[in-house]
Every structure is written in structure tokens, then in C-alpha cells.
Amino acid sequence: MKQQSNSEDAQDSAPTRVRLPLRRLIFAAAGGFLLISLATVISPARLVAQKPAVSSQPKRIATLVGAVSRVDSGNPHSNMDAVVLVENGRLRQPYPEYNERAQRKFGREYFSLGKKYRVTFGGGEVGTATIQGFAMGCNNIHATATVEDNGKIPAHLSGLATNSDSLAHKPSSRRAPTEAERQAVMMLVTQIYRSRGTTPALLRTLKTTNLTATDLNGDGELELIGSFVIETKNKARRDLLLIAEPQAATPAPQAGSPSEPAFKTTLVKFQAYKLPPEGFDSAIDFVDQLDLDNDGVAEVFVTQHGFDAYGYAIYKKSAGRWRQVYTTTGDAC
């Protein structure tokens, strides 16, 4: 199953008897002496395992973060994919691949009917998702949920959902870019494509799949995340995922004129390839952002298309650079 890209900018026991080894040293005394045991006595009470104390604390469930997206405009339910489990600061797969038994067990635990999740968008909480059930997908499971977000997530976009009470306690920050922001970023996009040998004629066919403004580090200045594509008639593609951060505005050309916004690229993922006969692309699209480790800088969630498949990846900013720190299959037939 191939997940479609979303566009933010349209142009955008009972006790157990334990048999312990009873150590007895047997001495045979010459001339018919009686057998005697070494004078070490073991209390019978020590041979019975004590029943474990029953904890009054509920079983601790790991933090789950999933992606939620609308099925279609006429369907009241949304899809929910399990993306990542967060345990003790580590990111791990929700369940093993090619293991239907483990997947169903996960579904019964995390996707049981009526289970509620907090829905986030732009790094902040915007509503709730109530699980309606789950079904097997292609080497995966998918839940359906009723999402209540007061219209804060546009129908064509995705958000995140989590069972954590400690994440997403900052205002939601995500919007379409202004025209000035768009123009500034498109200058960077054009430079990137040109530096990789893209001709002016091909540049005229450049399409914006998604362009989003969102505050990743809580400083009030919004970063721009975008995905772009050029596809020729002979099915050659050039895909780009970009994160651009604001920098000092450039001086206005005339006194009294507003200064133009300026950005610098901090992540560039460029791909040049030819589509297979089946037409499956490898584009990478922004899903949403969420600060998983509460360090003040949100992680960026993306989807990557594949051959009759899609997956999820997470990028984290470390030492000033965005690095891919996690990947998992979303669906693979």
C-alpha cells in the first residue's frame, strides 16, 4: 500500500514446590557404625518457594507515538500507524517485522477498543484519538480511530498521537508559509537543484509537494520544511526534502522598506532516480514534529515511499546537524 503525500501548501503459581539439592555428607563408619548425617539441618520451610507478592501498581506501558491521518473526507474515522516506542530515552520498533503473532499482541495492548491517545500537531496537543479497532496490513497493523481536534489538523495533513502525559506540553506551531517565506525558500530550492545539474527547462516543472512553517526549537522563529519533485516524461525523478532555518534578515533594498526573510538549509535530502515500470516513487514527505526527549528541539517525523510500500523515519538535530536516527516500516506488500 502506498501512502499519498500530504500538502500543507497547496501551491503550495499457586506456590511451586522447588526440589532443591539436599546436601548431606554421608559417612560410613568402619565395623558397622550407624550412618549419620552431617550435623547440618535444613529447615523444610526453605524448600518451598514463596509466592511472589502481587504488585498493586499497573503494568507500565511504553510510550507510543503513532501517525494519524484522515481516510477520506466522507469517512469519520482516521488511520493510525504505530511509529515508535520510546523507552528510557531509546527509540525502538513497536513490534518485529514478519511476526503476525507479535503484531496482534501489540494490537490488543495498544489498539484495544476505546483506548484514548493525545493528538498533537505542530508539537502541541490539539485533541484526542479514540481507538475503534485494528486490522492486519501488509507486514503491519493499522488502527482506526475517531479523532477530535476541533478542525486544527487540515484534512489533507497528518498529525501524531501518543499515550504519553509528558510530551507535547507547548503551544502547537504549524502553518502555511507566508508568500515572502515561500519565495525565500524557493531560492534555496532552485540553487540546490541547479547544483545537481538540473536544467532551467526542468526547473520550470518543479512542484512543491508540501511546504510547512513550524517552530522546532521553541524560539518563536519558524523553520520551513518542504518536499519538492521534478518528474520528466520518461519517468526520471528528482526529489528533495529540505529543512531551512531562519537567519538574520537581509537588509531592505530601500530605506523604509520591509526586510526580506532569509533562511539557511540545515537538511538536504536529494534523490535522482528513474521510476520502475510499476511507478512507485521514493519521495520523502514531512509528517509532523514532536520533542520526544524534551530537550527543547523537536524531532522531525517523515514518511518515505517505496516499492508498493512506505515507511517512517525520524530525524534529530545533533551538534547542529539533522541526522536520521530511526526508521521503521509503515506498510510493505
Side-chain angles (χ1 to χ4, degrees), residues 110 135 172 176 189 237 242 251 257 269 272 293 304 329:
Y110 285 88
S172 173
V189 172
R237 276 181 65 109
L242 171 146
S257 298
K269 294 287 291 184
D293 53 8
Q304 179 157 9
T329 300

Side-chain angles (χ1 to χ4, degrees), residues 25-71:
L25 300 179
I26 308 300
F27 287 84
F33 278 85
L34 295 175
L35 293 175
I36 58 174
S37 300
L38 185 66
T40 300
V41 179
I42 300 178
S43 170
R46 296 183 183 177
L47 302 180
V48 180
Q50 299 301 307
K51 184 176 181 178
V54 178
S55 174
S56 61
Q57 297 297 323
K59 179 183 178 182
R60 183 181 179 87
I61 298 180
T63 293
L64 172 68
V65 178
V68 290
S69 57
R70 294 280 196 321
V71 177

